[in-house]
């Protein structure tokens, strides 16, 4: 069974709340931050309902947790105060991760800001040496995340990740988190040649180092270095490629974590598509949502067929239009799912369904529309 899930909230009763949320999505894995990702404020980890959360995980078949380090950690900074905070705070997060019993903490390697990539690689390696030296008594690996390459972030290529690892003394505790959106945006063609990308990863870093996969579609064209996540099927990668990745023999045993955006037309009322995405990628859509759901998807297939809308062509052409035509974007900046949702609601196809329910059916249409 796939170990697949999403990012969930660690607020309130900590791990108990996280497990409760993950269970509502049908998750068998989950990713947490041990506090807010944008600041250093943390409640004592001992008070975060760890045992209660693990008991609920066992009940619902959630078999793995991944921790994500806060975004404010930047080991690549040349500013001493920023760098020292990053080292100290990452050590604290590793200790919190170890207390929970989690083996991998995902880390954005860092950004070189006003320097250059060579400086960033050396500075990050220096920081990792210092971090790991101070947490020798823990059993946590640091999973360096592959990055899209926006701005001055380091980790935009497998070579940069490998260069960091080579400079770290105890690099046995360094592994990798591969983000599908990030590597697509960085220029790796995972749509047409995922096998080749995996072979390249193995040659440069080693598949034994791959520990976590972030599953995200992308709003961006290949190699544009934007880092803009999309729901599965609603981006330039597409459902077919994502399903191939998820079921790849060299990937499927790893924890697979969705970080797809919450969507909705009304600000503050956006909802995640995690439940539908997980069910589709795992192949249990009907048992999760029921036969009526599939019949609604069939209605979408016939509706869009009458409109002569092809699921992949519509998505890719819309993103290309929004990328390449400034006038078109200004006149109508709606993303693909927004446009499809508006067509469905204007036709009153599902007048009794909520926006979330319609969007779930659209996600399924991206996945199974060609089969009907």
């Amino acid at each position: 069974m796939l170990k697949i899930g999403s990012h969930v909230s660690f607020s309130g009763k900590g791990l108990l709340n996280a497990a409760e949320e993950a269970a509502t999505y049908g998750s068998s894995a989950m990713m947490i931050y041990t506090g807010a990702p944008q600041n250093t404020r943390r409640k004592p980890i001992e008070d975060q309902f760890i045992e209660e959360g693990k008991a609920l995980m066992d009940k619902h078949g959630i078999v793995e947790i991944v921790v994500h380090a806060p975004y404010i950690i930047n080991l690549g900074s040349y500013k001493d105060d920023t760098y020292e905070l990053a080292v100290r705070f990452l050590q604290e997060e590793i200790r919190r991760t170890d207390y929970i019993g989690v083996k991998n903490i995902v880390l954005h390697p860092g950004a070189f800001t006003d320097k250059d990539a060579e400086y960033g690689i050396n500075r990050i390696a220096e920081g990792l040496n210092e971090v790991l030296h101070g947490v020798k008594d823990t059993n946590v690996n640091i999973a360096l995340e592959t990055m899209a390459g926006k701005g001055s972030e380091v980790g935009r290529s497998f070579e940069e990740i490998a260069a960091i690892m080579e400079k770290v003394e105890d690099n046995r505790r360094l592994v990798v988190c591969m983000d599908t959106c990030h590597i697509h945006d960085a220029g790796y063609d995972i749509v047409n040649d995922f096998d080749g990308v995996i072979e390249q990863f193995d040659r440069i870093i080693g598949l034994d180092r791959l520990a976590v996969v972030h599953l995200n579609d992308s709003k961006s064209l290949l190699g544009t270095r934007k880092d803009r996540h999309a729901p599965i099927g609603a981006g330039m990668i597409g459902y077919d490629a994502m399903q191939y990745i998820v079921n790849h023999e060299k990937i499927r045993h790893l924890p697979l974590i969705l970080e797809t955006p919450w969507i909705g037309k009304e600000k503050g009322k956006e909802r995640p598509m995690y439940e539908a995405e997980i069910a589709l990628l795992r192949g249990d859509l009907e048992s999760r949502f029921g036969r009526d759901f599939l019949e609604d998807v069939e209605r979408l297939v016939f509706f869009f067929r009458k409109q002569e809308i092809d699921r992949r062509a519509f998505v890719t052409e819309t993103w290309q239009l929004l990328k390449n035509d400034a006038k078109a974007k200004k006149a109508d900046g709606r993303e693909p799912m927004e446009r499809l949702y508006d067509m469905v609601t204007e036709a009153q196809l599902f007048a009794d369904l909520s926006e979330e329910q319609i969007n779930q059916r659209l996600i399924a249409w991206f996945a199974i529309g060609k089969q009907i």
Side-chain angles (χ1 to χ4, degrees):
M1 184 177 178
L2 293 175
K3 295 186 288 186
I4 185 168
S6 66
H7 164 237
V8 291
S9 173
F10 196 70
S11 61
K13 292 186 177 181
L15 193 63
L16 180 58
N17 278 13
E20 287 172 344
E21 182 183 347
T24 67
Y25 304 139
S27 304
S28 49
M30 63 185 189
M31 185 175 74
I32 61 173
Y33 297 86
T34 73
Q38 302 89 357
N39 63 52
T40 61
R41 293 191 296 274
R42 294 291 182 270
K43 295 179 180 178
I45 194 65
E46 298 82 1
D47 299 338
Q48 294 300 298
F49 295 83
I50 305 303
E51 294 308 314
E52 295 87 344
K54 288 183 176 180
L56 194 64
M57 287 174 61
D58 288 342
K59 178 181 177 181
H60 290 284
I62 303 169
V63 297
E64 187 153 353
I65 310 170
V66 175
V67 171
H68 200 302
Y71 302 135
I72 59 172
I73 291 175
N74 182 14
L75 291 174
S77 178
Y78 66 88
K79 298 179 180 178
D80 289 340
D81 55 345
T82 302
Y83 172 83
E84 289 164 7
L85 169 66
V87 169
R88 184 178 70 255
F89 193 36
L90 181 54
Q91 287 175 333
E92 292 174 7
E93 288 293 287
I94 288 172
R95 293 188 185 98
R96 290 166 67 84
T97 300
D98 191 56
Y99 182 90
I100 300 171
V102 173
K103 63 183 179 182
N104 292 309
I105 181 168
V106 175
L107 174 71
H108 292 183
F112 55 79
T113 58
D114 298 331
K115 299 292 185 177
D116 57 26
E118 182 179 3
Y119 176 90
I121 288 168
N122 290 327
R123 185 69 155 169
I124 292 164
E126 177 188 355
L128 289 170
N129 275 319
E130 192 172 342
V131 167
L132 291 170
H133 182 76
V135 291
K136 287 182 177 180
D137 57 335
T138 68
N139 296 304
V140 177
N141 296 323
I142 299 174
L144 300 175
E145 185 168 346
T146 57
M147 305 306 292
K150 64 181 175 62
S152 65
E153 60 188 18
V154 180
R156 58 196 167 185
S157 69
F158 300 156
E159 286 83 359
E160 287 190 348
I161 298 284
I164 293 170
M165 289 179 156
E166 288 169 5
K167 295 177 183 295
V168 175
E169 296 165 6
D170 187 15
N171 65 19
R172 294 170 301 173
R173 292 180 60 183
L174 294 183
V175 292
V176 176
C177 170
M178 178 184 287
D179 186 299
T180 55
C181 171
H182 292 178
I183 62 173
H184 168 273
D185 288 13
Y188 292 93
D189 189 0
I190 62 175
V191 176
N192 300 302
D193 189 23
F194 184 69
D195 287 342
V197 173
I198 282 293
E199 289 172 9
Q200 190 176 357
F201 182 94
D202 192 24
R203 184 173 66 254
I204 296 169
I205 299 176
L207 271 172
D208 59 321
R209 298 280 192 167
L210 187 56
V212 182
V213 177
H214 284 171
L215 298 174
N216 301 298
D217 212 323
S218 174
K219 298 179 181 181
S220 303
L221 277 59
L222 178 68
T224 50
R225 296 186 174 183
K226 294 292 186 181
D227 188 8
R228 300 171 66 227
H229 297 190
I232 302 300
M236 293 299 294
I237 299 173
Y239 176 81
D240 295 346
M242 295 298 293
Q243 186 185 53
Y244 184 81
I245 291 168
V246 162
N247 289 289
H248 198 282
E249 62 178 358
K250 295 177 180 177
I251 296 290
R252 60 177 290 112
H253 64 287
L254 300 172
L256 308 166
I257 304 296
L258 292 156
E259 297 176 307
T260 52
W262 291 32
I263 58 175
K265 295 180 75 67
E266 188 174 345
K267 189 171 179 59
K269 293 189 177 181
E270 299 91 345
R271 296 293 302 153
M273 294 292 102
Y274 298 148
E275 184 179 9
E277 291 168 327
I278 290 169
L280 284 161
L281 292 170
R282 193 163 52 207
D284 61 357
L285 189 69
E286 183 171 1
S287 62
R288 184 75 188 178
F289 286 90
R291 182 62 208 173
D292 289 347
F293 184 98
L294 293 183
E295 290 175 357
D296 287 344
V297 177
E298 290 177 10
R299 290 181 67 189
L300 284 176
V301 171
F302 294 121
F303 173 73
F304 288 130
R305 191 173 291 163
K306 282 186 178 181
Q307 316 298 318
E308 298 184 344
I309 293 175
D310 175 82
R311 61 189 186 120
R312 285 308 299 149
F314 182 85
V315 168
T316 58
E317 289 169 8
T318 300
W319 286 124
Q320 288 167 349
L321 178 70
L322 294 175
K323 168 70 168 61
N324 298 324
D325 192 331
K327 288 185 178 179
K329 184 175 182 179
K330 186 175 181 180
D332 184 359
R334 290 177 302 161
E335 298 182 355
M337 280 202 67
E338 292 179 276
R339 298 179 185 222
L340 294 169
Y341 175 84
D342 288 344
M343 291 181 203
V344 170
T345 54
E346 286 167 11
Q348 297 186 329
L349 201 61
F350 303 116
D352 58 335
L353 297 183
S354 68
E355 181 179 10
E356 178 184 5
Q357 290 170 324
I358 293 173
N359 280 330
Q360 287 175 329
R361 285 153 177 79
L362 287 170
I363 290 289
W365 174 72
F366 288 135
I368 64 179
K370 69 171 184 177
Q371 302 170 10
I372 300 174

